[in-house]
Amino acid sequence: MDLKRDRSKQQVVLNRKVIAHVTTDGLSRIGRKEDHRENGHVLLVRFLEGIITVSLVAIFFGLPIFFLGLTLQGIAFEKQIYFYGWILVGLVSWVIKSVLQGEMRIIRSALDYPLLILLGVTILSVAFSVDRWHSVWGFFGDPSHGLVGLIAMILGYKLIQNYATLRGMSMMIGGLLIADIFISVWAFLRLVDVPFFSSAVKQFVPLSLLGSLSGLGAFVSIMTPLLMMVIFVVQANKKIPTWKRRAVITSFMLVLVMHAFIFLTTYAFVPWIGLLVGVGCFLVYILARIIRPSNGWTWLPVVQFTVILVLLMIGNNSIARVQLPVEISPEYGFSWDIARETMQKHLLFGTGPATFGYAFSQFHPQNFNENQFFYLRFYQGTGLLFETLSTMGILGTLALLLVVVTFVGVGIYLLLCQHEKSNIVPLGIFSSALIAFANILLVRSDNTILILAFLLPALFFVSFRTMGEVAESSITIPLKASPKFALTVAFIFIVIMSGVIFSGVFLGKVLVADVLAGQADRSEEVTKEGSVQSMTHAIRLYGQEGRYFTNIGQQYMVLANTEALKQEKDRNTDLIRGYLDNSIALATQGTKMMPNDVVAMEALGQIYENAALYIPDSRALAVESYKKALNLDPHSPQLQVKLGQLRLETAAMYKGKDEQKAILEEANKILESAVAEKKDYSPAYYQLALAKEGLGDLEGAIKNMGIAQYLDPKNVNFMFNLARLYQARGGEEDNKIAEVIFKQIISINDSEINTHFSLGLLYEKTNRNDEALFEYQIVLDLLPDGVSSDVRSRVEEMMANIENKPSSVVEVNMPNDQTQNDILLQEQEVDPNEFLNEDQQDLQETVPAEDALSDEVDQS
């Protein structure tokens, strides 16, 4: 028994040793696996942080120089999509990294609360917007002013705050400097017109890679303090070999010289106030020895500031060897008038982000019509300050100013705390940020400048934190969930990732759609298989843009007009009606998507107007569309002239004198309003003269036609109708004046068949039969071979009447002074408004009765 007990004890001890050995070995293996997993986890986190840094560097380097040149909306749209793409890459990396670490850490800064307030006010403004879709996504052409643009800029700001190390900050500034070198060298070579660039390259690559010369001037201004900052940093870094330091400093000095040349050649596009403020701030801190650069280099900002003052005093004396494009923006007075009028109706939240085009059309003052560019509509204000007053009201403007004032105040305080330190980096970034803010607030700026105005302050705060000058403050959101909440956290993660992926795919579709739309717009000819098909594909990819529907509606109208101009035997009436139906349906959809957009409403009116020959009620629908457009742009003389012209055409269709008179009086009232809106608008006087002629007021008709001809003395149509009105009044002096004008027209264009015919009528009426026969013979000689034989025979019959009964031609049952060509017009049932002589077209004016023969020639 004892032996058995001893053996059992030995076995237990042996089993315990085996278990202990196995357990120890297993735990060591498990530990090694956990170490590998931890190392892999750390590597993945570092990899994601690297992706975030790469995305931010790509924004600073690529945003100023990136463009495709293929989209319909242009460079600003392409840059905005580029910016969104890299922000999404950074955001995805941030979310995944936070989930892997089990927490989301957000570094705090002085601008966090002002930015949140601005975001909150913007969301409220979107809720009250007149165009919510474009307030969210940004308006056609430059989407940077929408809610999504603001969110992307805030995300970019926070990404820089969280992940910009000293090395990463250096890479971002370096990327910006490389972009500046590209932009400055290219602009310099283009401005001096270096001959080795082909015309194709010049046409595809714009002079300003920013998209506009004002953007070029702003960007070069922003980069000037940064260049001086880098020169100071490189010169003070003794670790760099001397020859390398000299090479880098010389290169950047040459870039500063190119900056000065660009300032001089593009004087009118440089934000001088912001440039002086930024460079002046840089100089003041150095001269006051608040920040001390390396000894012997204080002269650099002094010279730079002096050069800027000299260039400013030289003035607009461009020495560029190329023709600079014209860029127009509303004057400050007009912008303030628009803001004031808008706030009377939309005080707190404005008309909505990115809706300045609506505010401009609705509230611009009447005296804007006195400007030579009265016909333009602006979709951005002169500076974000005036634009925000209109689009986001008083609350949005205060929120924006809060962001700017907070940054400036905190920046000045932090820089003052650097007394007698050689830290030049924050000063350079702060000065550049000041220029960016001054530019976006006071000058119409491109989206690149707006984005830099949000990102440079982030770099400024990072520069203090990474150099140990400011204590880091952060908040941590735990993502390590207990089993009870693990499902909720996983669901939230999936929702966020799905939203990010959806946004990325959506942006890709939007970009491809706009490339297709740009392809359609660049087509030399509108065809169903070419441009129309491309625009159709664009709508299928991105059917939320109303401009696409308006554009394709106009293209179908072109197809209808092209088919209508064919010979009668080749003309397909059913095809024309199909094109018109598509045109109207698509343009109507455009107005439904953008009901407060005057361009969409005006385009629909034009389509209805052109469809009048084939769709019975289209003229009335055109009037309705133009009235809606006029409600959106109440001071537009062009829309009023269009309405008056359509009422004149409607009056010509009525046979009852009372109905006709009522419509003519309505047209007369509308056209008098057009004249009152713009007193030097010749088409308004022309149409008003026709209205007064219809009302029997020949004195008023001659007076207004004379003003139209005085305002536009080279317009043959105005000259012809003035002579015709004198001829209709028929006094002895009137006939002499009419004859002089007719002869003047013939001296300009001796093939003007209408003028020869009218001059023949004048000679016939005044019994100068030989001269009348001579003019009628010229008419026969000028008639094309394909013209109807009826026309030729009637002219020959008129000539025979002169030869046989020269004295009886004048009185042949022509009530109301109707001339013979009026009778021809009635017998042939030709609409005088249907076809216009090419030399007499002006906003599709009504062709007078004497144009009957020419009308039939053109129709044939």
Side-chain angles (χ1 to χ4, degrees), residues 370-409:
E370 299 173 6
N371 191 289
Q372 60 176 326
F373 301 108
F374 73 97
Y375 53 87
L376 295 178
R377 295 188 177 97
F378 296 95
Y379 293 89
Q380 288 186 15
T382 306
L384 207 57
L385 181 61
F386 290 120
E387 181 178 334
T388 307
L389 281 170
S390 300
T391 58
M392 293 177 58
I394 191 68
L395 293 181
T397 305
L398 292 175
L400 176 63
L401 291 177
L402 178 63
V403 173
V404 177
V405 171
T406 301
F407 170 71
V408 174

CSV table of all heavy atoms in Angstrom, one decimal, residues 370-409:
chain,number,residue,atom,x,y,z
A,370,GLU,N,-26.1,101.7,-65.7
A,370,GLU,CA,-25.3,102.7,-66.3
A,370,GLU,C,-23.8,102.2,-66.6
A,370,GLU,O,-23.1,102.8,-67.3
A,370,GLU,CB,-25.2,103.9,-65.3
A,370,GLU,CG,-26.5,104.6,-65.1
A,370,GLU,CD,-26.5,105.6,-64.0
A,370,GLU,OE1,-25.4,106.0,-63.6
A,370,GLU,OE2,-27.6,106.2,-63.6
A,371,ASN,N,-23.5,101.1,-66.0
A,371,ASN,CA,-22.2,100.5,-66.2
A,371,ASN,C,-22.2,99.8,-67.6
A,371,ASN,O,-23.2,99.3,-68.1
A,371,ASN,CB,-21.9,99.4,-65.2
A,371,ASN,CG,-20.5,98.9,-65.2
A,371,ASN,OD1,-20.1,98.2,-66.1
A,371,ASN,ND2,-19.7,99.3,-64.1
A,372,GLN,N,-21.0,99.8,-68.3
A,372,GLN,CA,-20.9,99.2,-69.6
A,372,GLN,C,-21.1,97.7,-69.6
A,372,GLN,O,-21.3,97.1,-70.6
A,372,GLN,CB,-19.6,99.6,-70.2
A,372,GLN,CG,-18.4,99.1,-69.5
A,372,GLN,CD,-17.1,99.4,-70.2
A,372,GLN,OE1,-17.0,99.4,-71.4
A,372,GLN,NE2,-16.0,99.7,-69.4
A,373,PHE,N,-20.9,97.1,-68.4
A,373,PHE,CA,-21.1,95.7,-68.3
A,373,PHE,C,-22.4,95.3,-67.6
A,373,PHE,O,-22.5,94.3,-66.8
A,373,PHE,CB,-19.9,95.1,-67.5
A,373,PHE,CG,-18.5,95.3,-68.1
A,373,PHE,CD1,-17.7,96.2,-67.6
A,373,PHE,CD2,-18.2,94.7,-69.3
A,373,PHE,CE1,-16.4,96.5,-68.1
A,373,PHE,CE2,-16.9,94.9,-69.9
A,373,PHE,CZ,-16.1,95.8,-69.3
A,374,PHE,N,-23.4,96.1,-67.9
A,374,PHE,CA,-24.7,95.9,-67.2
A,374,PHE,C,-25.3,94.6,-67.5
A,374,PHE,O,-26.2,94.1,-66.7
A,374,PHE,CB,-25.6,97.0,-67.7
A,374,PHE,CG,-26.1,96.9,-69.1
A,374,PHE,CD1,-27.4,96.3,-69.4
A,374,PHE,CD2,-25.3,97.2,-70.2
A,374,PHE,CE1,-27.8,96.1,-70.7
A,374,PHE,CE2,-25.8,97.1,-71.5
A,374,PHE,CZ,-27.0,96.5,-71.7
A,375,TYR,N,-24.9,93.9,-68.6
A,375,TYR,CA,-25.6,92.7,-69.0
A,375,TYR,C,-25.0,91.5,-68.2
A,375,TYR,O,-25.5,90.4,-68.3
A,375,TYR,CB,-25.4,92.5,-70.5
A,375,TYR,CG,-23.9,92.6,-70.9
A,375,TYR,CD1,-23.1,91.5,-70.9
A,375,TYR,CD2,-23.4,93.8,-71.3
A,375,TYR,CE1,-21.8,91.6,-71.3
A,375,TYR,CE2,-22.1,93.9,-71.7
A,375,TYR,CZ,-21.3,92.8,-71.7
A,375,TYR,OH,-20.0,92.9,-72.1
A,376,LEU,N,-23.9,91.7,-67.4
A,376,LEU,CA,-23.3,90.6,-66.7
A,376,LEU,C,-24.0,90.3,-65.4
A,376,LEU,O,-24.6,91.2,-64.8
A,376,LEU,CB,-21.8,90.9,-66.4
A,376,LEU,CG,-20.9,91.0,-67.6
A,376,LEU,CD1,-19.5,91.4,-67.1
A,376,LEU,CD2,-20.9,89.8,-68.5
A,377,ARG,N,-24.0,89.0,-65.0
A,377,ARG,CA,-24.5,88.6,-63.7
A,377,ARG,C,-23.4,88.0,-63.0
A,377,ARG,O,-22.7,87.1,-63.4
A,377,ARG,CB,-25.7,87.6,-63.9
A,377,ARG,CG,-26.9,88.2,-64.6
A,377,ARG,CD,-28.1,87.3,-64.5
A,377,ARG,NE,-29.3,88.0,-65.1
A,377,ARG,CZ,-29.7,87.8,-66.3
A,377,ARG,NH1,-29.0,87.0,-67.1
A,377,ARG,NH2,-30.7,88.4,-66.8
A,378,PHE,N,-23.2,88.4,-61.7
A,378,PHE,CA,-22.1,88.0,-60.9
A,378,PHE,C,-22.6,86.9,-59.9
A,378,PHE,O,-23.6,87.1,-59.3
A,378,PHE,CB,-21.4,89.2,-60.2
A,378,PHE,CG,-20.8,90.1,-61.1
A,378,PHE,CD1,-21.5,91.3,-61.6
A,378,PHE,CD2,-19.5,90.0,-61.6
A,378,PHE,CE1,-21.0,92.2,-62.4
A,378,PHE,CE2,-19.0,90.9,-62.5
A,378,PHE,CZ,-19.7,92.0,-62.9
A,379,TYR,N,-21.7,85.9,-59.6
A,379,TYR,CA,-22.1,84.9,-58.7
A,379,TYR,C,-21.2,84.8,-57.5
A,379,TYR,O,-21.3,84.0,-56.6
A,379,TYR,CB,-22.1,83.5,-59.4
A,379,TYR,CG,-23.1,83.4,-60.5
A,379,TYR,CD1,-22.9,83.8,-61.8
A,379,TYR,CD2,-24.4,82.9,-60.1
A,379,TYR,CE1,-23.9,83.8,-62.7
A,379,TYR,CE2,-25.4,82.9,-61.1
A,379,TYR,CZ,-25.2,83.3,-62.4
A,379,TYR,OH,-26.2,83.3,-63.3
A,380,GLN,N,-20.3,85.8,-57.4
A,380,GLN,CA,-19.5,86.0,-56.2
A,380,GLN,C,-19.3,87.5,-56.0
A,380,GLN,O,-19.2,88.3,-56.9
A,380,GLN,CB,-18.1,85.4,-56.4
A,380,GLN,CG,-18.1,83.9,-56.3
A,380,GLN,CD,-16.7,83.3,-56.3
A,380,GLN,OE1,-15.7,84.0,-56.1
A,380,GLN,NE2,-16.6,82.0,-56.6
A,381,GLY,N,-19.3,87.9,-54.7
A,381,GLY,CA,-19.2,89.3,-54.4
A,381,GLY,C,-17.8,89.8,-54.4
A,381,GLY,O,-16.9,89.0,-54.6
A,382,THR,N,-17.6,91.1,-54.3
A,382,THR,CA,-16.3,91.7,-54.2
A,382,THR,C,-15.8,91.5,-52.8
A,382,THR,O,-16.0,92.4,-52.0
A,382,THR,CB,-16.3,93.2,-54.7
A,382,THR,OG1,-16.9,93.3,-56.0
A,382,THR,CG2,-14.9,93.7,-54.7
A,383,GLY,N,-15.3,90.4,-52.5
A,383,GLY,CA,-14.8,90.1,-51.2
A,383,GLY,C,-15.9,89.3,-50.4
A,383,GLY,O,-17.1,89.5,-50.6
A,384,LEU,N,-15.4,88.4,-49.5
A,384,LEU,CA,-16.3,87.5,-48.8
A,384,LEU,C,-17.1,88.3,-47.8
A,384,LEU,O,-18.2,87.9,-47.4
A,384,LEU,CB,-15.5,86.5,-48.1
A,384,LEU,CG,-16.1,85.1,-47.8
A,384,LEU,CD1,-16.7,84.5,-49.0
A,384,LEU,CD2,-15.2,84.2,-47.1
A,385,LEU,N,-16.6,89.5,-47.4
A,385,LEU,CA,-17.4,90.3,-46.4
A,385,LEU,C,-18.7,90.7,-46.9
A,385,LEU,O,-19.8,90.5,-46.3
A,385,LEU,CB,-16.5,91.5,-46.0
A,385,LEU,CG,-17.1,92.4,-44.9
A,385,LEU,CD1,-17.4,91.6,-43.6
A,385,LEU,CD2,-16.3,93.6,-44.7
A,386,PHE,N,-18.7,91.3,-48.1
A,386,PHE,CA,-20.0,91.8,-48.7
A,386,PHE,C,-20.8,90.6,-49.2
A,386,PHE,O,-22.1,90.6,-49.0
A,386,PHE,CB,-19.7,92.7,-49.9
A,386,PHE,CG,-19.2,94.0,-49.5
A,386,PHE,CD1,-17.9,94.4,-50.0
A,386,PHE,CD2,-19.9,94.9,-48.7
A,386,PHE,CE1,-17.4,95.7,-49.7
A,386,PHE,CE2,-19.4,96.1,-48.4
A,386,PHE,CZ,-18.1,96.5,-48.8
A,387,GLU,N,-20.2,89.6,-49.7
A,387,GLU,CA,-20.9,88.4,-50.1
A,387,GLU,C,-21.6,87.7,-48.9
A,387,GLU,O,-22.8,87.3,-49.0
A,387,GLU,CB,-20.0,87.4,-50.8
A,387,GLU,CG,-20.7,86.1,-51.3
A,387,GLU,CD,-19.7,85.2,-52.0
A,387,GLU,OE1,-18.7,85.7,-52.6
A,387,GLU,OE2,-20.0,84.0,-52.1
A,388,THR,N,-20.9,87.6,-47.8
A,388,THR,CA,-21.5,86.9,-46.7
A,388,THR,C,-22.7,87.7,-46.1
A,388,THR,O,-23.7,87.1,-45.6
A,388,THR,CB,-20.5,86.7,-45.6
A,388,THR,OG1,-19.3,86.0,-46.1
A,388,THR,CG2,-21.0,85.8,-44.4
A,389,LEU,N,-22.6,89.0,-46.1
A,389,LEU,CA,-23.7,89.9,-45.7
A,389,LEU,C,-25.0,89.5,-46.5
A,389,LEU,O,-26.1,89.5,-46.0
A,389,LEU,CB,-23.4,91.3,-45.9
A,389,LEU,CG,-22.5,92.0,-44.8
A,389,LEU,CD1,-22.1,93.4,-45.2
A,389,LEU,CD2,-23.3,92.0,-43.5
A,390,SER,N,-24.8,89.3,-47.8
A,390,SER,CA,-25.9,88.9,-48.7
A,390,SER,C,-26.4,87.5,-48.5
A,390,SER,O,-27.6,87.2,-48.5
A,390,SER,CB,-25.6,89.2,-50.1
A,390,SER,OG,-25.3,90.6,-50.3
A,391,THR,N,-25.4,86.6,-48.4
A,391,THR,CA,-25.8,85.1,-48.5
A,391,THR,C,-26.0,84.5,-47.1
A,391,THR,O,-26.8,83.5,-47.1
A,391,THR,CB,-24.7,84.4,-49.3
A,391,THR,OG1,-23.4,84.6,-48.6
A,391,THR,CG2,-24.6,84.9,-50.7
A,392,MET,N,-25.4,85.0,-46.1
A,392,MET,CA,-25.5,84.4,-44.8
A,392,MET,C,-26.0,85.4,-43.7
A,392,MET,O,-26.0,85.1,-42.5
A,392,MET,CB,-24.2,83.7,-44.3
A,392,MET,CG,-23.9,82.5,-45.2
A,392,MET,SD,-22.3,81.8,-44.8
A,392,MET,CE,-22.5,81.4,-43.1
A,393,GLY,N,-26.3,86.6,-44.1
A,393,GLY,CA,-26.9,87.6,-43.2
A,393,GLY,C,-26.0,88.1,-42.2
A,393,GLY,O,-24.8,87.9,-42.2
A,394,ILE,N,-26.5,88.8,-41.2
A,394,ILE,CA,-25.7,89.4,-40.2
A,394,ILE,C,-25.1,88.4,-39.3
A,394,ILE,O,-23.9,88.6,-38.9
A,394,ILE,CB,-26.6,90.4,-39.4
A,394,ILE,CG1,-25.7,91.3,-38.5
A,394,ILE,CG2,-27.6,89.7,-38.6
A,394,ILE,CD1,-24.8,92.3,-39.3
A,395,LEU,N,-25.7,87.3,-39.0
A,395,LEU,CA,-25.2,86.3,-38.1
A,395,LEU,C,-24.0,85.6,-38.8
A,395,LEU,O,-22.9,85.3,-38.2
A,395,LEU,CB,-26.2,85.2,-37.8
A,395,LEU,CG,-27.4,85.8,-36.9
A,395,LEU,CD1,-28.3,84.6,-36.6
A,395,LEU,CD2,-26.8,86.4,-35.6
A,396,GLY,N,-24.1,85.3,-40.1
A,396,GLY,CA,-23.0,84.6,-40.8
A,396,GLY,C,-21.8,85.5,-40.9
A,396,GLY,O,-20.6,85.1,-40.7
A,397,THR,N,-22.0,86.8,-41.1
A,397,THR,CA,-20.9,87.8,-41.2
A,397,THR,C,-20.2,87.9,-39.9
A,397,THR,O,-19.0,88.0,-39.8
A,397,THR,CB,-21.5,89.2,-41.7
A,397,THR,OG1,-22.2,89.0,-42.9
A,397,THR,CG2,-20.3,90.1,-41.9
A,398,LEU,N,-21.0,88.0,-38.8
A,398,LEU,CA,-20.4,88.1,-37.4
A,398,LEU,C,-19.6,86.8,-37.1
A,398,LEU,O,-18.5,86.9,-36.5
A,398,LEU,CB,-21.4,88.3,-36.4
A,398,LEU,CG,-22.1,89.7,-36.4
A,398,LEU,CD1,-23.3,89.7,-35.4
A,398,LEU,CD2,-21.1,90.8,-36.2
A,399,ALA,N,-20.1,85.7,-37.5
A,399,ALA,CA,-19.3,84.4,-37.3
A,399,ALA,C,-18.0,84.4,-38.1
A,399,ALA,O,-17.0,84.0,-37.5
A,399,ALA,CB,-20.2,83.2,-37.7
A,400,LEU,N,-18.1,84.9,-39.3
A,400,LEU,CA,-16.8,84.9,-40.1
A,400,LEU,C,-15.8,85.9,-39.5
A,400,LEU,O,-14.6,85.6,-39.4
A,400,LEU,CB,-17.2,85.3,-41.5
A,400,LEU,CG,-16.0,85.5,-42.5
A,400,LEU,CD1,-15.3,84.2,-42.7
A,400,LEU,CD2,-16.5,86.1,-43.8
A,401,LEU,N,-16.3,87.1,-39.1
A,401,LEU,CA,-15.4,88.0,-38.5
A,401,LEU,C,-14.8,87.5,-37.2
A,401,LEU,O,-13.7,87.9,-36.8
A,401,LEU,CB,-16.1,89.4,-38.3
A,401,LEU,CG,-16.5,90.1,-39.6
A,401,LEU,CD1,-17.3,91.4,-39.2
A,401,LEU,CD2,-15.2,90.5,-40.3
A,402,LEU,N,-15.6,86.7,-36.5
A,402,LEU,CA,-15.1,86.2,-35.2
A,402,LEU,C,-13.9,85.3,-35.5
A,402,LEU,O,-12.9,85.3,-34.7
A,402,LEU,CB,-16.3,85.4,-34.5
A,402,LEU,CG,-15.9,84.7,-33.2
A,402,LEU,CD1,-15.5,85.7,-32.1
A,402,LEU,CD2,-17.0,83.8,-32.7
A,403,VAL,N,-14.0,84.5,-36.5
A,403,VAL,CA,-12.9,83.6,-36.9
A,403,VAL,C,-11.6,84.4,-37.2
A,403,VAL,O,-10.5,84.2,-36.7
A,403,VAL,CB,-13.2,82.7,-38.1
A,403,VAL,CG1,-12.0,81.9,-38.6
A,403,VAL,CG2,-14.3,81.7,-37.7
A,404,VAL,N,-11.8,85.5,-38.0
A,404,VAL,CA,-10.7,86.3,-38.4
A,404,VAL,C,-10.1,87.1,-37.2
A,404,VAL,O,-8.9,87.1,-37.0
A,404,VAL,CB,-11.1,87.3,-39.5
A,404,VAL,CG1,-9.9,88.2,-39.9
A,404,VAL,CG2,-11.6,86.5,-40.7
A,405,VAL,N,-10.9,87.7,-36.4
A,405,VAL,CA,-10.5,88.5,-35.3
A,405,VAL,C,-9.8,87.6,-34.3
A,405,VAL,O,-8.7,88.0,-33.7
A,405,VAL,CB,-11.6,89.3,-34.7
A,405,VAL,CG1,-11.2,89.9,-33.4
A,405,VAL,CG2,-12.1,90.3,-35.6
A,406,THR,N,-10.3,86.4,-34.0
A,406,THR,CA,-9.7,85.5,-33.0
A,406,THR,C,-8.3,85.1,-33.5
A,406,THR,O,-7.4,85.1,-32.7
A,406,THR,CB,-10.6,84.3,-32.9
A,406,THR,OG1,-11.9,84.6,-32.4
A,406,THR,CG2,-10.0,83.3,-31.9
A,407,PHE,N,-8.2,84.8,-34.8
A,407,PHE,CA,-6.9,84.4,-35.3
A,407,PHE,C,-5.9,85.5,-35.2
A,407,PHE,O,-4.7,85.3,-34.7
A,407,PHE,CB,-7.0,83.9,-36.7
A,407,PHE,CG,-5.6,83.7,-37.4
A,407,PHE,CD1,-4.8,82.6,-37.0
A,407,PHE,CD2,-5.2,84.6,-38.3
A,407,PHE,CE1,-3.5,82.5,-37.6
A,407,PHE,CE2,-3.9,84.4,-38.9
A,407,PHE,CZ,-3.1,83.4,-38.5
A,408,VAL,N,-6.3,86.7,-35.6
A,408,VAL,CA,-5.4,87.8,-35.6
A,408,VAL,C,-5.0,88.2,-34.2
A,408,VAL,O,-3.8,88.4,-33.9
A,408,VAL,CB,-6.0,89.0,-36.3
A,408,VAL,CG1,-5.1,90.3,-36.2
A,408,VAL,CG2,-6.2,88.7,-37.8
A,409,GLY,N,-5.9,88.2,-33.3
A,409,GLY,CA,-5.6,88.5,-31.9
A,409,GLY,C,-4.7,87.5,-31.2
A,409,GLY,O,-3.7,87.9,-30.6
